[in-house]
Amino acid sequence: MEFKNSKYVEKMCEITNELYKHGWDERNGGNVSLRLTQDEVDQFDDLNKVIRNIPIKFDATPLAGQYYLVTGTGRYFKNVHNYPERDTGLVKITDEGNSVDLLWGFNDGGQPTSEFPAHLMTHIARQKVDSNQRVVMHCHPTNWVALSFTRNLDEKEISKLLWKMQAESLVVFPEGVGIIPYMTPGTNEIGQATADKMNEFRVVMWPHHGIFGCGDSMDEVYGLIETVEKAALIYTTIQSQGGDIKQEITDDDLRDLAKSFGVTPNPKFLSMDKVK
């Protein structure tokens, strides 16, 4: 089988198309990277030679030898499912760590997303937390971004707000969400700030811009971001209806929910000491 027809490329096409249809990746906004193992790469005969070497503006030595299927810079997610070999590429981090070898894709001369250093920094951080982590996803969910304009950029406040918008939130992201200050995108500085937060969270807010999420699979990370955005949408809807809340999910309700589903809320945001 050629790599173009692999389940990895098919899933990348599916997820990027869904992100676009949700309106979370307008124009060329957003990027995704998926780590592949050596055994997964070895299944394909067309990945046995280097097409070209691409410099990267980051020392990725801790990831040397790892493979990443990544979306390209300047590429529109609405096109990926039709042109995966143009708009995505499979790269291997070189031993020197300052470049990648292209093994497949970017067939028009393209390169990995400008946020690739930020992705790699997050991959480094998350692999230290959980070696199974292999996906990083960045997009611009509308209601999530709106929260960064109307609410305090406080991790406890935003996390508890989202937990209380729907029962699923606490179950899906019990650690809550991380928040960095507004920073210029596409820089190593924003990448490092994000990676630092990824030591504790799987979701990080880029205020006035978007979201960074990570996890074990494309479906998991997509579902994580989808759940966060759904909670933010419910909040937006409440505000559009006047914001007068008559009843709510209480802290005690959250504790009962955590106990029932066997999850542990971030203790900095919610203490479990009062569980009945």
Side-chain angles (χ1 to χ4, degrees), residues 117-138:
H119 280 243
L120 296 177
M121 292 177 199
T122 289
H123 280 291
I124 290 171
R126 290 307 302 177
Q127 287 178 37
K128 292 177 182 177
V129 176
D130 182 351
S131 61
N132 292 321
Q133 300 276 279
R134 59 192 299 182
V135 176
V136 173
M137 195 173 293
H138 168 59

Side-chain angles (χ1 to χ4, degrees), residues 8 36-44 67:
Y8 311 108
L36 273 67
T37 67
Q38 185 69 58
D39 288 343
E40 289 168 342
V41 170
D42 287 344
Q43 299 175 44
F44 305 96
Y67 299 88

Side-chain angles (χ1 to χ4, degrees), residues 26-80:
E26 70 290 337
R27 201 173 181 272
N28 63 325
N31 28 80
V32 181
S33 62
L34 164 68
R35 176 170 59 88
L36 273 67
T37 67
Q38 185 69 58
D39 288 343
E40 289 168 342
V41 170
D42 287 344
Q43 299 175 44
F44 305 96
D45 294 334
D46 58 340
L47 302 181
N48 57 11
K49 66 177 182 179
V50 176
I51 299 172
R52 54 189 163 94
N53 181 264
I54 304 172
I56 56 175
K57 297 178 180 179
F58 170 65
D59 180 7
T61 304
L63 303 176
Q66 293 190 8
Y67 299 88
Y68 290 91
L69 178 61
V70 58
T71 54
T73 184
R75 304 310 166 105
Y76 291 34
F77 272 20
K78 70 183 182 69
N79 293 330
V80 173

Side-chain angles (χ1 to χ4, degrees), residues 170 251 254-260 263-267 270-276:
L170 182 68
D251 283 6
L254 289 176
R255 294 184 182 100
D256 289 341
L257 187 67
K259 184 178 180 181
S260 178
V263 298
T264 302
N266 190 323
L270 180 70
S271 170
M272 290 294 286
D273 292 344
K274 298 181 180 179
V275 175
K276 300 173 183 178

